[in-house]
Structure formats: structure tokens, C-alpha cells
């Protein structure tokens, strides 16, 4: 494990002696992962895979996947994407050297993947053999007025399971390859986004387990892994007891959970929230620091209900709040297992976790 030098390193060492909460990082590139490790992250708490798909040499295949007319067409595109995804995950597993890595399956606002320019449509047309006009019709069908509440997260996996199947295969192939090469067997934690119901997770877990079984049989190796879910919708928090029958871990996605609990768009919130804070309606910007009496209450309730079903359920937080000291104190109070923050906030999170643990001891 790389160490931070000098007084800073010593201070972090003291913090680590007293903190109970584990600190992970939100990281999806090799650079993020290396930075996270330098700052002392004890794993990746959120690897957002959609960012990988914007890579310029993949985006045409991604558009092909989204605009394909049927499963066969999608599978042609997915076959092109599989080796790239496998390489993404191999690199991350290598850098994280056996530390836990939570990989979240695709959660795109679909419109971000759709072509807009003529030449983008032309590229997809030449890759698929589908005419530009037909592609434009399909893109128009997929258009959504409210993409953040639309066909994203596991809804994509439910309608097109082959996408999650490809990603799960890439995760397990990479994990087996890295285990064989380094002896540091990764323990992948495969995370399903935007789950609202037990059945959604059950369907997606079946896809993931099937991919794991197939890869382990092909490679002649079996690795441990977990399948869990983001809790980022109020319904998921309320139904956490049922969802924990299927999910082996929960990670609280407080960005979406704040958006959906407060009914405030996370992308437009700045427009009036400062006035709201000035007038004392919210004590702080709820997208920065947990709205303890609202979103926090839902998290606490979900943690309780999840634990009641599955005593050893692993609980973490991976929204922006995972790097906010006041929110970290709240997470300590309700006994989460870890917080996950952007790599540069890992040291702050380590300190905040230590302060929270000390305060809890004094109380
Ligand atoms: C969240 O919603 O809190 C989360 C971590 O996921 P994303 O920000 O990618 O929607
Ligand atoms: Mg989210």
C-alpha cells in the first residue's frame, strides 16, 4: 500500500487508528484508482461504467448497441465492446490488488449515448448496415422528455439483459485473469443501479450469476463475488427488507436519493437552493450534505430493514455525501460499513471518520 509522506502521513495514520468506517473511492479510470490508493482508499466503492463507454473509439459500438433493432444486432455491438470492458476491469483489479471493487453496471441517461450529428448517424449506419433514416426513427423512439426518470439504470438491464450479461462476463473474465496472473484474487462486488423492487434485482442477479457460472466453467476457476444494489430511490429504501433477500450489499446513492426524495433536479438545483438555505428551509445544500431528517431517515430505515433480513449485509454510501464530514458523522452514527468518496476527498473522509468515531466514543 503506498503511503502518504511526512506529517500528513502521520496524521492519517492517527486517524486510521481510531476510525471504524472503511473509506473507499469512487473511481473508474486507472488514474483515479492510483490516486485513490495513494490517498489510502481501502477499495473502490463506486466504479461508474457508463463513463467508459464515451471513449471515442467505443462510442460508435455503443450507439450501435442502443440503436440496434433487435437482440441479434445488440449482440454484434456487445461483442465489440466485451474485450474493451475486460481490459478496463483488468487494469482496475490490478491496481486495487485484492481490495474490494464495486462495479456498477451501466446507468446511462440514454440520450447521452444517442447520436445527434449527421456524421454520427452515418458512422452508425456504416457499422450496422441500417439506413440513416431508420436510425433516426429509432433515436426518436428512444427520446425521453425526462431521462433522469426514464430508461436508465437497471431498467436498461431489464429490457436489454444482454448488455448487463456482457458487463458481468467482462468483470468475471478480468477477475479470473488477474487472479491467475497476480495471485491477488479480486473480489468483485457487482452493483445494480436504480433498483426500486426486489424483482428487478432478482432478474439482474440471475443474469450476473449466469455469466459468473459460465466464465468460471470456461476458466476452470471459481472466485468469490457479491451481487448488490444501489439504494437511490425512496421505494428501494422502504422495501429494503425485501430487496435484501436478494442483494448482498447496499450502497446508498445519495445523489439520486436526494433528487427523488426532495423532488429537486440534481442538475438544476443551484437555481433556488441558495435562497432556500438563506431562508433556513434547508440547513445546508442537501446535494452536498445529507438532509438528515429526510434522506438520512430513509437511509437509516433502509439499513435497519436490510439488516433485519440479512444480518451481515454490507452497507456503504457512494453519493457525493460520502466525502462530506457531517454526512460521514451520520454514517458512523447509523453503523454503515464504509463511505466512498472521490479520490481527492479520501483523506478528508479518513479524518472525518476518525472524528466521528471519537465523538461516538465520548458520547
Ligand atoms: C448517486 O445517485 O448517488 C450515485 C452515486 O450515482 P450517480 O451519481 O452516478 O447517479
Ligand atoms: Mg445514481
Amino acid at each position: 500500500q503506498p503511503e502518504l509522506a511526512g506529517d500528513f502521513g502521520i496524521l492519517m495514520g492517527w486517524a486510521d487508528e481510531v476510525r471504524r468506517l472503511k473509506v473507499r473511492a469512487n473511481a473508474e479510470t486507472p488514474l483515479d484508482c492510483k490516486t485513490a490508493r495513494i490517498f489510502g482508499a481501502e477499495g473502490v466503492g463506486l466504479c461508474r461504467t457508463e463513463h467508459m463507454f464515451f471513449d471515442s473509439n467505443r462510442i460508435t459500438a455503443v450507439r450501435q448497441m442502443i440503436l440496434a433493432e433487435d437482440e441479434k444486432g445488440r449482440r454484434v455491438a456487445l461483442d465489440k465492446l466485451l474485450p474493451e470492458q475486460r481490459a478496463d476491469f483488468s487494469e482496475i483489479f490490478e491496481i486495487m490488488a485484492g481490495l474490494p471493487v464495486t462495479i456498477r453496471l451501466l446507468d446511462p441517461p440514454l440520450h447521452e449515448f444517442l447520436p445527434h450529428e449527421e456524421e454520427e448517424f452515418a458512422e452508425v449506419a456504416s457499422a450496422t448496415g441500417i439506413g440513416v433514416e431508420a436510425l433516426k426513427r429509432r433515436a426518436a423512439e428512444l427520446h425521453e422528455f425526462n431521462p433522469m426518470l426514464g430508461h436508465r439504470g437497471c431498467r436498461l438491464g431489464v429490457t436489454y439483459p444482454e448488455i448487463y450479461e456482457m458487463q458481468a462476463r467482462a468483470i468475471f473474465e478480468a477477475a479470473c485473469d488477474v487472479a491467475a496472473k497476480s495471485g491477488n484474487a479480486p473480489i468483485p462486488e457487482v452493483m445494480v443501479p436504480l433498483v426500486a423492487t426486489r424483482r428487478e434485482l432478482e432478474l439482474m442477479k440471475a443474469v450476473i450469476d449466469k455469466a459468473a457460472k459460465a466464465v468460471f466453467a470456461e476458466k476452470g476457476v471459481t472466485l468469490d463475488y457479491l451481487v448488490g444494489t444501489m439504494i437511490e430511490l425512496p421505494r428501494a429504501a422502504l422495501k429494503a427488507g425485501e430487496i435484501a433477500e436478494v442483494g448482498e450489499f447496499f450502497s446508498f446513492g445519495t445523489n439520486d436519493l436526494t433528487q427523488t426524495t426532495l423532488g429537486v433536479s440534481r442538475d438544476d438545483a443551484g437555481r433556488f437552493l441558495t435562497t432556500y438555505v438563506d431562508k433556513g428551509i434547508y440547513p445546508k445544500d442537501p446535494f452536498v450534505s445529507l438532509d438528515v431528517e429526510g434522506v438520512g431517515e430513509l437511509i437509516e430505515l433502509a439499513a435497519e430493514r436490510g439488516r433485519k433480513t440479512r444480518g451481515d449485509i454490507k452497507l456503504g454510501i457512494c453519493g457525493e455525501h460520502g466525502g462530506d464530514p457531517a454526512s460521514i458523522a451520520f454514517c458512523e452514527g447509523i453503523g454503515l460499513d464504509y463511505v466512498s468518496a472521490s479520490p481527492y476527498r479520501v483523506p478528508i473522509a479518513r479524518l472525518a471518520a476518525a472524528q466521528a468515531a471519537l465523538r461516538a466514543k465520548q458520547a
Side-chain angles (χ1 to χ4, degrees):
Q1 166 91 25
E3 292 289 344
L4 287 166
D7 291 349
F8 194 37
I10 293 170
L11 182 64
M12 286 294 135
W14 289 341
D16 292 348
E17 280 169 27
V18 291
R19 75 184 156 92
R20 182 196 61 81
L21 278 166
K22 294 267 182 198
V23 176
R24 300 196 195 180
N26 294 353
E28 54 258 338
T29 64
L31 181 63
D32 283 347
C33 292
K34 284 180 193 155
T35 309
R37 289 216 60 200
I38 290 167
F39 286 130
E42 295 162 298
V44 169
L46 175 64
C47 170
R48 292 176 163 103
T49 56
E50 54 279 4
H51 293 182
M52 296 162 173
F53 286 59
F54 290 115
D55 196 285
S56 58
N57 57 26
R58 287 188 219 183
I59 189 70
T60 302
V62 171
R63 289 183 174 138
Q64 185 180 347
M65 165 185 97
I66 297 292
L67 293 173
E69 282 160 329
D70 52 21
E71 183 183 330
K72 198 163 152 248
R74 276 190 295 280
R75 286 198 182 271
V76 172
L78 288 164
D79 285 346
K80 294 183 195 166
L81 292 165
L82 173 65
E84 308 257 359
Q85 274 276 263
R86 192 195 305 124
D88 293 328
F89 300 140
S90 293
E91 254 187 304
I92 291 175
F93 288 142
E94 273 169 24
I95 296 165
M96 297 313 292
L99 294 172
V101 176
T102 309
I103 297 174
R104 184 178 73 187
L105 302 180
L106 199 58
D107 178 16
L110 213 51
H111 67 288
E112 290 184 18
F113 286 155
L114 292 176
H116 298 288
E117 309 296 329
E118 280 301 323
E119 66 188 64
E120 293 170 346
F121 277 105
E123 267 172 21
V124 183
S126 83
T128 54
I130 305 173
V132 167
E133 287 315 310
L135 288 172
K136 284 186 178 168
R137 268 199 306 278
R138 173 93 176 121
E141 277 165 27
L142 292 173
H143 169 80
E144 295 176 304
F145 286 101
N146 210 340
M148 288 304 270
L149 296 179
H151 197 180
R152 55 174 282 225
C154 68
R155 298 161 192 174
L156 196 74
V158 169
T159 48
Y160 308 136
E162 53 281 0
I163 298 179
Y164 278 10
E165 185 190 321
M166 179 282 284
Q167 291 197 288
R169 171 166 274 281
I171 292 169
F172 295 118
E173 287 183 357
C176 289
D177 293 349
V178 171
K181 223 166 56 180
S182 71
N184 246 337
I187 306 179
E189 298 178 353
V190 185
M191 181 151 80
V192 181
L194 218 73
V195 161
T197 78
R198 179 192 191 280
R199 180 73 179 139
E200 285 172 318
L201 185 60
E202 191 174 54
L203 287 170
M204 297 301 93
K205 186 173 186 302
V207 171
I208 297 161
D209 287 341
K210 191 171 161 213
K213 207 168 156 199
V215 172
F216 295 159
E218 287 161 28
K219 303 265 184 190
V221 199
T222 302
L223 297 178
D224 289 333
Y225 66 96
L226 299 177
V227 178
T229 180
M230 304 275 298
I231 299 285
E232 51 185 346
L233 294 175
R235 190 185 197 283
L238 294 170
K239 303 309 279 180
E242 281 179 15
I243 293 173
E245 289 167 13
V246 184
E248 297 167 298
F249 65 88
F250 288 166
S251 183
F252 292 100
T254 44
N255 305 328
D256 274 308
L257 192 56
T258 301
Q259 167 166 263
T260 48
T261 303
L262 273 50
V264 175
S265 158
R266 59 191 273 190
D267 301 314
D268 303 312
R271 300 189 184 184
F272 62 86
L273 276 180
T274 14
T275 313
Y276 263 51
V277 174
D278 287 348
K279 294 188 189 271
I281 295 171
Y282 290 118
K284 288 182 190 169
D285 180 337
F287 284 98
V288 173
S289 199
L290 264 181
D291 163 34
V292 167
E293 290 172 14
V295 176
E297 200 171 321
L298 274 174
I299 294 176
E300 190 169 4
L301 178 145
E304 270 169 30
R305 292 186 182 176
R307 281 198 194 105
K308 205 163 167 200
T309 301
R310 188 185 290 269
D312 64 348
I313 192 162
K314 209 187 241 194
L315 300 171
I317 177 175
C318 65
E320 284 305 307
H321 308 76
D324 167 63
S327 309
I328 292 170
F330 176 82
C331 295
E332 169 66 33
I334 60 164
L336 296 194
D337 297 297
Y338 67 87
V339 299
S340 190
S342 75
Y344 290 99
R345 289 172 95 184
V346 165
I348 293 173
R350 286 164 74 186
L351 276 178
Q355 282 167 345
L358 282 176
R359 261 189 235 114
K361 261 188 213 153
Q362 283 159 4

